[in-house]
Amino acid sequence: MRDVEFRYPGTSAPALDGVSLTISDGEVVGLAGPTGAGKTTLCMALTGLVPHSTGGTLSGSVKLGGRESRDTPLGELLSPLDADRALVAVTFQDPESQIVGMTVEEDLAFGAENLGVPREEINRRIDEALAFVRLDGFRESFPYSLSGGQKQRVAIAAAIVMRPRLLILDEPTSELDPQGRAEIFELIGRLAASGEYAVLVVEHALDDLAAAVDRLVILESGKVRFDAPPAEVLRDVDRLVEIGVRPPDASVIGIAAERAGLLPPSPIAFLDDAALLAALAR
Amino acid sequence: MTSAIVAENLWFRYPGSAPALADVSLEIPEGQFLALVGQNGSGKTTLAKHFNGLLRPERGRVEVSGTDIDGRATADLASTIGYCYQNPDHQIFAATVFEEIEFGPRNLGVTEDEVVRRTGRLLDLVRLRGEADRYPFSLGRGQRQKLAVASVLAMEPRIVIVDEPTTGLDWQGGQAMMEVMAELHRDGRTVVIITHDMNIVAEYAERVVVMANGRIVADGEPADVFVQESALREAFLRPPQAFRIARERPDLFASSLTVTQATDALRPVSVGVAAGGEA
């Protein structure tokens, strides 16, 4: 995305206001910001729904896999670049709303069938995807009977079956309890380690997100305020608080410890309690 | 001290499942700010729904403000104990924000002047004055959540139960909602919240009750419960990061529960060691 400005139909304030953002293959990017900052709009621009389905006016350039979004019809824009591999797949915050089948298997096959992937290949991918999200043995299960965390893992598995170049997880943990949340962040860690997909994770809470991503993008009022590795972004705790995203306690306390002369000044923020405690012990 | 809620030996089972409550007893003093935490399915919402008779126990009894609620209708209890659902859309039904708030007291037979006074005060409390004539479902999630709370508060219950007040809200929205809860508490009301957010527990609750598998596995002041590692592990919970840091370095952070306390604890250090290690 380069210098993207977007307005929804009938609105004067831009939902995206000069956004430039590049996501490379295999990169894991966290996206945070207060409600109304433009996170969902940005995700929709990365799937072509903005502006193709929403209408509105878009200026600047959005290129998905090299195709210019504005000049390409939606069907063509999202058609696979490589055989059998989707360009973008998205999961949403409410895991239940993503269930389309009566069994986990049907849910997982749906997207890949639409891509025209051969049946045997889909079967093989379903096995792999279920193993990857640690739901082997749930192939015949009724999706609604699963826990929230399991449903969200099914949604991610269904995305994986499409082998997307870019996987967008829009607030994957906001409806989950702490166990479900831990399951999803563990899974994001393994998605990152696999190097197979670029992943964009939208999330309110920076604690878990910061430790899981290569880069952190913070949006405020449709503008990118930060786009850097988490350890750099989390140095600026005062600005983050002003924007309305809560920095991890360890980052805040680390800065306070520097100001109190307990720690030497550092260009790097502390992402978690273990890192801060190790530095304080030195 | 008078008890707002007394639950004695409650047993409850949803059809075809293991007990959702297995011999749960809990006494909540009037004016307490209590947080109920635990996994989904641990029994916390089931327990809270027993406090106002939304669910009735198979065995055991519940007293609200000193009266056994067996046989009393939930609607009759609404002016004593207010319950806000986790999803505000389960309770919103009126055509405007104003009508949503005034419905409860009007239904209770409160005088017209009093209805208008209460509705006005609540619109200010939850900062929806400018939205009074709007259709509730045109509001954002955070505003709908606050509207749902306001419509329960309009009946002026002495006891307020809110299921996941901050879920779906961003940090600022969550803080605004918790400020409303804190205001009710300062006003002398009993406040029970159900939450997953341990930062909120640390910042607002006087007492935290941890549930797992239909039982209470820990109960006490947040600082005392946060050190009960096996109970927390059973409930898949972790104390706030600031508490974990302070616990390892009490020499620097004393007994801080929250990030604000931890950073405040560091300030005297920079003033000078000569001031004496009072911090």
Side-chain angles (χ1 to χ4, degrees):
Chain A
M1 300 176 75
R2 192 174 307 138
D3 301 321
V4 173
E5 192 171 301
F6 174 72
R7 287 179 173 79
Y8 285 100
T11 59
S12 55
L16 297 176
D17 190 359
V19 169
S20 295
L21 180 70
T22 303
I23 302 176
S24 308
D25 279 324
E27 202 176 16
V28 180
V29 178
L31 176 63
T35 301
K39 303 188 295 293
T40 297
T41 305
L42 194 155
C43 291
M44 288 166 76
L46 293 176
T47 58
L49 291 176
V50 160
H52 290 283
S53 298
T54 56
T57 51
L58 184 133
S59 65
S61 165
V62 180
K63 277 192 178 162
L64 306 176
R67 296 174 183 140
E68 183 64 57
S69 173
R70 257 189 316 173
D71 307 336
T72 317
L74 192 57
E76 194 183 320
L77 180 66
L78 296 178
S79 64
L81 289 172
D82 326 322
D84 305 346
R85 190 160 190 201
L87 190 53
V88 189
V90 192
T91 71
F92 301 96
Q93 54 188 103
D94 177 5
E96 199 136 294
S97 70
Q98 306 170 62
I99 294 173
V100 292
M102 294 300 285
T103 64
V104 167
E105 176 177 1
E106 282 178 34
D107 259 332
L108 264 54
F110 184 75
E113 277 169 355
N114 284 346
L115 283 178
V117 179
R119 188 65 225 185
E120 323 79 88
E121 169 70 5
I122 292 178
N123 267 325
R124 206 173 53 74
R125 289 187 186 185
I126 288 176
D127 284 335
E128 279 178 18
L130 285 176
F132 193 81
V133 302
R134 308 221 161 120
L135 287 174
D136 345 45
F138 284 84
R139 199 174 172 126
E140 303 300 325
S141 298
F142 182 50
Y144 290 96
S145 69
L146 304 177
S147 74
Q150 289 170 334
K151 282 181 199 139
Q152 195 59 271
R153 278 146 69 201
V154 168
I156 294 173
I160 290 176
V161 168
M162 293 190 276
R163 298 269 154 86
R165 288 269 294 275
L166 172 64
L167 173 57
I168 299 176
L169 308 178
D170 192 357
E171 302 202 24
T173 69
S174 70
E175 309 260 326
L176 304 184
D177 63 14
Q179 184 185 14
R181 190 180 172 78
E183 287 169 11
I184 297 304
F185 272 98
E186 189 269 343
L187 178 54
I188 291 169
R190 284 186 294 113
L191 282 169
S194 79
E196 298 241 0
Y197 317 94
V199 184
L200 180 70
V201 188
V202 183
E203 176 64 52
H204 278 310
L206 296 186
D207 308 43
D208 296 312
L209 188 63
V213 300
D214 303 318
R215 250 165 68 208
L216 201 50
V217 174
I218 310 284
L219 279 183
E220 181 192 36
S221 311
K223 294 187 175 73
V224 173
R225 299 301 192 190
F226 291 93
D227 180 358
E232 269 175 53
V233 173
L234 297 177
R235 288 288 306 171
D236 209 345
V237 293
D238 296 335
R239 182 75 183 102
L240 291 170
V241 168
E242 192 182 291
I243 291 171
V245 289
R246 181 185 176 124
D249 290 355
S251 310
V252 178
I253 297 170
I255 302 283
E258 281 181 20
R259 285 175 188 161
L262 286 169
L263 289 174
S266 154
I268 302 292
F270 298 101
L271 299 188
D272 58 32
D273 44 328
L276 175 60
L277 286 167
L280 286 169
R282 278 198 285 276
Chain B
M1 200 182 323
T2 326
S3 296
I5 295 168
V6 178
E8 275 177 14
N9 309 106
L10 297 183
W11 288 84
F12 183 83
R13 184 192 299 267
Y14 294 100
S17 321
L21 296 179
D23 201 20
V24 172
S25 296
L26 182 68
E27 188 261 316
I28 306 173
E30 218 167 73
Q32 192 166 61
F33 197 130
L34 182 142
L36 210 45
V37 303
Q39 284 302 102
N40 293 346
S42 64
K44 54 197 194 316
T45 296
T46 303
L47 176 61
K49 284 182 173 173
H50 277 76
F51 296 159
N52 71 335
L54 279 170
L55 294 175
R56 306 285 176 170
E58 286 169 18
R59 269 183 282 158
R61 59 192 288 276
V62 177
E63 257 180 31
V64 173
S65 300
T67 312
D68 194 318
I69 65 165
D70 187 30
R72 289 189 63 193
T74 298
D76 291 343
L77 291 165
S79 56
T80 310
I81 183 163
Y83 187 99
C84 296
Y85 288 86
Q86 180 183 347
N87 185 342
D89 302 341
H90 289 172
Q91 64 187 75
I92 289 173
F93 66 95
T96 69
V97 166
F98 194 94
E99 287 170 26
E100 184 70 41
I101 299 176
E102 71 171 0
F103 176 81
R106 180 148 301 182
N107 208 35
L108 287 175
V110 171
T111 63
E112 184 62 29
D113 283 359
E114 175 64 9
V115 167
V116 171
R117 190 192 65 80
R118 286 188 193 181
T119 306
R121 203 176 61 84
L122 285 164
L123 284 170
D124 290 337
L125 180 70
V126 299
R127 310 234 154 102
L128 287 175
R129 173 73 77 174
E131 324 295 334
D133 296 325
R134 277 180 67 179
Y135 178 54
F137 287 102
S138 73
L139 302 173
R141 164 82 193 231
Q143 289 181 320
R144 295 203 305 280
Q145 188 97 8
K146 289 197 287 187
L147 173 60
V149 171
S151 63
V152 167
L153 296 180
M155 289 174 274
E156 302 205 330
R158 295 299 302 161
I159 306 164
V160 182
I161 304 169
V162 188
D163 195 349
E164 301 204 17
T166 62
T167 297
L169 306 185
D170 65 5
W171 186 36
Q172 281 170 341
Q175 282 185 312
M177 176 55 81
M178 290 314 298
E179 277 314 308
V180 172
M181 300 293 112
E183 175 64 33
L184 296 172
H185 179 235
R186 282 192 291 271
D187 194 33
R189 284 168 221 265
T190 309
V191 179
V192 177
I193 59 165
I194 297 173
T195 186
H196 291 306
D197 188 333
M198 299 302 269
N199 289 316
I200 283 176
V201 173
E203 280 162 36
Y204 293 94
E206 296 173 294
R207 176 180 174 193
V208 54
V209 169
V210 184
M211 294 198 67
N213 303 313
R215 292 173 192 275
I216 292 172
V217 294
D219 178 2
E221 288 179 26
D224 297 327
V225 169
F226 288 166
V227 299
Q228 296 181 36
E229 282 163 12
S230 67
L232 291 184
R233 211 174 304 119
E234 195 180 349
F236 296 93
L237 294 168
R238 289 183 89 189
Q241 228 177 40
F243 177 85
R244 302 201 302 262
I245 292 165
R247 196 183 172 201
E248 295 296 322
R249 295 300 300 268
D251 56 320
L252 296 174
F253 304 108
S255 54
S256 297
L257 284 178
T258 66
V259 65
T260 309
Q261 289 166 358
T263 53
D264 285 351
L266 289 177
R267 285 218 181 98
V269 176
S270 63
V271 174
V273 183
E278 279 182 57

